[in-house]
Amino acid sequence: MDQDTRNTLQRATQQIRNLLETEFAEQLEGTYDVLPDGTILPDAGAHLDAQDRLVRQKLVDAIAHIESGGKSTRDAIEEYLRQAAFTILNRFVALRMLEARDLLQQCVSKGDDSSGFKEFCGLAPGLSALPDDGYRLYLECLCDELSVEIKVLFDRRDPTTLLWPRRSALTAMLDVLAQPELASVWAEDETIGWVYQYFNGDEERTQMRAESQAPRNSRELAVRNQFFTPRYVVQFLTDNTLGRTWYEMMQGDTLLAHLDYLVRRPSEVFLAEGESAPESDTDDSELSQEELLNKTVHVPFRNKKDPRDLRILDPACGSGHFLLYTFDLLITIYEEAWADAGAAAFTETGAQLRADYESLEDLRCAMPELILRHNLHGVDIDPRAAQIAALALWMRAQRAYNQFEVDRAQRPPITQTHIVVAEPMPGDAELVDEFAASLQPAVLGDLFKKMVEEMKLAGELGSLLKIEESIAKAVKEAEEAHRKEGLFAEKIESQDFWDTADEKIVAALGGFAAGAGGVRRQLFAGDAAQGVAFIELMRKRFDAVLMNPPFGAGSKRAKRVFEADYPRTKNDVYAAFVERGIALLHKRGGLGAITSRTGFFLKSFQKWREEILLKDAPPVVVADLGHGVMDDAMVEAAAYCLEAI
């Protein structure tokens, strides 16, 4: 996407954001008596009918839920408006992108003149009696159909979608999206990521930095660090981590036509299992650059893995650029493993890929869903980023199905991605106590309360929060107390109980959300389940960690915990992310990062270089990129890959 097109998209995104926030603020105040100064009238006005009264109650509950996280009513209303505008904008952008991929009939590109709506009207002629001739109902039906797989954006139970733009605002939004200058962007996978970045304007970022040197909260930390990672950097880092790993597993007979940025010596020799590299009697310091390049390099033996056992993590995933390219690479990896007679078996089934899928066509029918279920994982502190990343991966999966000519009726449903939000678990103390008391045995309730307590700084620390360590400690303490004191009559000594405690809590949350309490309980359960998913993800270990992490100072609110957990890298968040990423890797796993280059020469990063990189994960390849790489970020960047010892 060229700069002129990106500028147009940026203006369009900001224009629609302002339009929707103004529109929804007017509806909150004029229809539902929710004022921008934080005043919420205690009772619904007489002008509201029964349906509007229900909507108002859900709006009030949603705002109260945001308040329970520690915000004032005024700030909660402002956040609700921002979330509502973002969700509706992305919903229409997504519909436009699905049109461009022939995954939906024309529905928004020509508004209520779209062919899909006309066909819908032909099937239901009574729609003409509705105020907008049924166009809203038509779009809501599309959302309901899509939400079977993409709940993150199209689920109409989401309280951020309670408001709908009135006719003039809807028309204005669709006109902006229909600009001829934007016609080319809807078929591009990266478009939804640019919309995410452009939603927050440069003026907003500038004001945040002027008011405080360090981010004051999780939102500021997210907004300050929204910088697009160029495609070539994504490829460079992925090719030299996941790509290099698979290349070594297959001993060179693989992927080379796809790894445009793989760095390898011309004379690499792969060692057999148990074989060691011969001693060298050559002093490398005496060799020329050409001689060094052509010197024989012995590559240690690497055991093969079934592709379904490969795990990749982006611990600050934003809109998912690393994961999208990794998806492309994994398609080739799966096909090569299927064709490999000596392929490894999948740890869950004990069977090779070819045993589970008899033909390449069978594999291609299953592959997009397999990749999202087994391989790709992402974390972000911004719920909007997670929303975008999950949508982008779903669309990438649908594009793969199209490429493989898999009929829509034959496509396995994709109902889950491993994109999780790092944010505090529910702040509603009353519901925390009520839910914890409902869990049996009672030790589960104690564990849930511990999770809530330990997750308080998740929004500020994200993947840096060492939640798996504190929860493991809590589980061990609870287990020991039970065994020593016999606190519970139930037999729960088995390790399986403790290993599956998170699953038991999530299952109980489903029933709790369905009970009396409406939106309040649903939001509580949703936040709690997201927190449990984050904890579960942080317990895993990965073959590749890829990232463009935040940089600079950490959040003020998390300063004490951050400095205590990362004493060697507390001078910059990006250094701590590298330290954390290394700890999340399997042995010989690869970490790829683009960050400031300062870590490689400033004295303040000496411990990072000596005690973390050289000790735990020495650099494999480093590219000094300089200025102007990450959009408007005023930083000299380096892209580098490390291998965990």
Side-chain angles (χ1 to χ4, degrees):
M1 191 183 300
D2 61 48
Q3 188 63 51
D4 288 343
T5 304
R6 284 166 49 194
N7 290 341
T8 303
L9 185 61
Q10 182 175 25
R11 289 191 296 271
T13 301
Q14 282 288 302
Q15 186 177 349
I16 294 174
R17 174 186 175 174
N18 294 334
L19 183 154
L20 289 175
E21 287 185 352
T22 300
E23 165 69 9
F24 292 156
E26 290 177 358
Q27 290 188 36
L28 282 182
E29 182 172 8
T31 304
Y32 300 106
D33 297 323
V34 177
L35 281 56
D37 66 1
T39 302
I40 300 177
L41 298 187
D43 298 310
H47 63 289
L48 298 180
D49 61 21
Q51 178 62 32
D52 285 334
R53 286 171 180 267
L54 179 60
V55 170
R56 183 185 191 273
Q57 186 58 54
K58 290 180 177 180
L59 287 167
V60 172
D61 287 346
I63 292 167
H65 178 73
I66 298 172
E67 279 186 271
S68 71
K71 293 183 181 293
S72 68
T73 306
R74 179 173 182 168
D75 289 344
I77 292 170
E78 182 180 333
E79 181 171 328
Y80 177 83
L81 287 171
R82 185 168 56 244
Q83 291 176 355
F86 184 79
T87 300
I88 293 298
L89 166 61
N90 282 305
R91 183 173 286 183
F92 277 85
V93 167
L95 291 171
R96 185 67 186 87
M97 294 177 73
L98 292 173
E99 276 187 29
R101 288 158 175 74
D102 294 326
L103 294 171
L104 282 181
Q105 195 171 352
Q106 187 184 72
C107 57
V108 295
S109 55
K110 291 189 177 181
D112 53 14
D113 282 331
S114 296
S115 60
F117 178 56
K118 290 182 176 180
E119 183 176 310
F120 185 74
C121 290
L123 296 173
L127 292 172
S128 59
L130 295 175
D132 62 351
D133 295 326
Y135 187 52
R136 175 178 178 175
L137 177 62
Y138 163 65
L139 293 178
E140 287 179 340
C141 288
L142 288 180
C143 290
D144 289 343
E145 183 179 345
L146 290 166
S147 71
V148 174
E149 294 194 53
I150 325 174
K151 282 187 173 60
V152 70
L153 184 60
F154 291 105
D155 188 354
R156 290 196 296 116
R157 294 172 299 176
D158 184 339
T160 62
T161 65
L162 288 166
L163 300 176
W164 183 264
R166 291 169 294 189
R167 181 73 180 189
S168 60
L170 179 62
T171 300
M173 177 175 63
L174 293 177
D175 286 346
V176 173
L177 294 177
Q179 294 176 75
E181 296 85 352
L182 293 178
S184 64
V185 308
W186 307 120
E188 300 291 333
D189 287 343
E190 65 188 38
T191 295
I192 197 77
W194 282 116
V195 170
Y196 164 66
Q197 179 168 327
Y198 291 149
F199 186 80
N200 298 297
D202 294 335
E203 299 83 3
E204 192 173 10
R205 271 187 282 271
T206 300
Q207 181 179 348
M208 288 177 178
R209 292 184 176 118
E211 292 175 354
S212 175
Q213 183 177 357
R216 292 167 292 187
N217 50 54
S218 60
R219 180 171 181 269
E220 285 199 5
L221 184 62
V223 171
R224 287 176 182 225
N225 288 280
Q226 289 175 356
F227 297 113
F228 185 86
T229 311
R231 173 77 172 190
Y232 74 90
V233 174
V234 170
Q235 288 185 246
F236 172 77
L237 296 175
T238 310
D239 287 358
N240 288 287
T241 50
L242 175 64
R244 163 60 73 168
T245 295
W246 188 255
Y247 166 77
E248 291 180 1
M249 286 179 179
M250 301 293 285
Q251 299 211 336
D253 186 22
T254 175
L255 279 180
L256 289 183
H258 304 273
L259 300 178
D260 295 335
Y261 291 91
L262 178 66
V263 177
R264 63 191 185 102
R265 299 287 184 88
S267 52
E268 291 184 347
V269 174
F270 294 94
L271 298 174
E273 186 171 10
E275 184 181 8
S276 299
E279 294 289 335
S280 174
D281 55 4
T282 304
D283 183 358
D284 288 354
S285 64
E286 298 179 357
L287 300 179
S288 67
Q289 288 292 319
E290 184 175 354
E291 288 171 330
L292 281 171
L293 178 65
N294 288 289
K295 181 182 177 181
T296 298
V297 175
H298 294 86
V299 180
F301 178 80
R302 191 186 286 270
N303 286 312
K304 291 180 179 179
K305 279 189 173 183
D306 183 276
R308 292 165 290 185
D309 284 322
L310 293 171
R311 289 196 184 117
I312 299 90
L313 170 70
D314 185 340
C317 69
S319 54
H321 293 135
F322 281 105
L323 301 177
L324 286 171
Y325 175 65
T326 303
F327 187 105
D328 297 344
L329 208 55
L330 284 165
I331 286 176
T332 303
I333 287 173
Y334 268 81
E335 293 191 355
E336 289 186 351
W338 184 85
D340 178 19
F346 184 29
T347 53
E348 287 186 16
T349 65
Q352 291 178 318
L353 200 60
R354 191 157 191 161
D356 289 334
Y357 301 96
E358 293 185 0
S359 68
L360 188 57
E361 289 70 26
D362 290 340
L363 175 64
R364 286 175 170 172
C365 182
M367 196 190 310
E369 191 273 337
L370 290 175
I371 290 173
L372 297 190
R373 174 154 47 107
H374 294 295
N375 304 118
L376 301 180
H377 305 75
V379 178
D380 206 276
I381 61 174
D382 187 347
R384 300 174 304 113
Q387 184 185 95
I388 290 297
L391 171 66
L393 287 173
W394 183 86
M395 287 196 296
R396 180 63 189 88
Q398 301 308 312
R399 180 155 66 89
Y401 283 133
N402 284 348
Q403 291 170 338
F404 296 147
E405 298 182 345
V406 178
D407 185 83
R408 292 186 188 179
Q410 302 302 316
R411 299 176 183 183
I414 297 170
T415 57
Q416 179 185 11
T417 62
H418 295 293
I419 306 297
V420 302
V421 183
E423 61 182 355
M425 289 175 75
D428 193 322
E430 181 182 337
L431 287 180
V432 168
D433 289 341
E434 183 183 344
F435 175 67
S438 72
L439 293 171
Q440 294 298 324
V443 68
L444 274 182
D446 296 336
L447 182 57
F448 177 73
K449 285 187 172 182
K450 181 67 173 177
M451 288 179 172
V452 173
E453 179 65 25
E454 294 294 334
M455 287 285 286
K456 283 184 176 179
L457 292 175
E460 274 72 25
L461 291 173
S463 299
L464 296 180
L465 185 67
K466 297 181 178 180
I467 187 68
E468 75 281 6
E469 295 180 6
S470 55
I471 295 301
K473 181 180 177 183
V475 167
K476 185 176 181 181
E477 289 173 353
E479 187 178 8
E480 289 176 352
H482 170 256
R483 287 176 175 170
K484 289 179 181 179
E485 301 175 24
L487 295 177
F488 307 103
E490 298 90 340
K491 285 275 188 180
I492 57 172
E493 279 103 351
S494 73
Q495 191 60 42
D496 179 66
F497 174 87
W498 301 103
D499 287 344
T500 60
D502 51 352
E503 296 175 14
K504 295 179 175 68
I505 290 172
V506 170
L509 282 167
F512 189 76
V519 169
R520 187 176 167 216
R521 277 196 177 210
Q522 291 172 16
L523 292 171
F524 170 90
D527 285 355
Q530 189 70 231
V532 174
F534 171 70
I535 295 169
E536 180 60 27
L537 183 59
M538 290 295 97
R539 292 172 59 189
K540 299 181 186 294
R541 290 300 174 261
F542 299 88
D543 298 278
V545 173
L546 300 161
M547 58 177 153
N548 179 352
F551 59 88
S555 168
K556 287 184 176 180
R557 185 165 172 258
K559 180 179 174 63
R560 183 183 62 81
V561 173
F562 173 62
E563 292 183 351
D565 283 352
Y566 297 92
R568 298 174 296 180
T569 52
K570 62 186 179 182
N571 54 306
D572 200 298
V573 172
Y574 84 74
F577 261 92
V578 172
E579 179 181 354
R580 176 65 161 156
I582 293 170
L584 291 170
L585 287 170
H586 288 301
K587 183 179 180 180
R588 294 192 67 196
L591 181 143
I594 177 170
T595 70
S596 167
R597 63 194 289 270
T598 52
F600 290 96
F601 59 86
L602 288 185
K603 183 174 178 57
S604 57
F605 288 85
Q606 184 172 348
K607 288 186 177 180
W608 181 71
R609 293 190 295 270
E610 294 180 353
E611 298 181 16
I612 297 174
L613 266 60
L614 295 180
K615 179 183 175 184
D616 297 331
V620 176
V621 58
V622 178
D624 191 352
L625 301 175
H627 273 301
V629 178
M630 291 184 284
D631 202 30
D632 298 324
M634 299 302 294
V635 61
E636 290 185 326
Y640 46 93
C641 298
L642 317 173
E643 184 176 300
I645 294 177

